[in-house]
Amino acid sequence: MSNLKNILNGWSNYLIGSDQTTNEEAKRRASICSECPIATDGIHTAILPDFSIKEIQGMYCSSEKGGCGCPLSPAVRSKNHNCPKNKW
Ligand code: SF4
C-alpha cells in the first residue's frame, strides 16, 4: 500500500470507524505509543478528539525526536502504517 493510501486508510478508520480487528490492533499500538518518549502532545485534541483511545489523544509521533511526524490517532488505525522505530 502506498504512503498516501496508508494515510487515507488511517484517517478513514479514525473519522468513520473501523472493524473490530483494526480497533484491537489500534489499541495495542496506542498502548506502546503512550509509553514511547517520541510521542509528544500536540494541538490535535482541540481539533479532533479521540473518543475511543484516550491514551494517545492529541499526540503525534515527533519528527524532531526521530519519529514520522504523524498524528497518532490515525497512525495507529492505519492497517499498513509501520512505527518508524519498529515498535509495532
Ligand atoms: S509510532 Fe513508534 S516511534 Fe512513534 S510514538 Fe508510536 S511507538 Fe513511538
Side-chain angles (χ1 to χ4, degrees):
M1 197 180 274
S2 72
N3 278 347
L4 179 58
K5 281 187 178 177
N6 285 342
I7 291 167
L8 292 175
N9 176 257
W11 279 102
S12 172
N13 288 337
Y14 167 57
L15 293 169
I16 299 169
S18 59
D19 58 62
Q20 185 177 356
T21 302
T22 303
N23 279 339
E24 288 173 4
E25 175 62 8
K27 287 177 181 174
R28 186 189 73 81
R29 293 174 176 182
S31 71
I32 296 169
C33 290
S34 69
E35 302 288 324
C36 178
I38 295 173
T40 303
D41 284 325
I43 60 167
H44 308 99
T45 307
I47 304 166
L48 295 165
D50 193 316
F51 295 109
S52 62
I53 308 180
K54 294 292 186 190
E55 60 199 305
I56 56 163
Q57 178 171 257
M59 301 185 89
Y60 67 101
C61 181
S62 175
S63 57
E64 293 169 358
K65 297 178 184 175
C68 60
C70 299
L72 289 175
S73 288
V76 300
R77 290 173 168 91
S78 177
K79 284 188 179 178
N80 293 307
H81 182 76
N82 296 311
C83 166
K85 299 297 181 185
N86 295 316
K87 295 185 178 186
W88 47 260

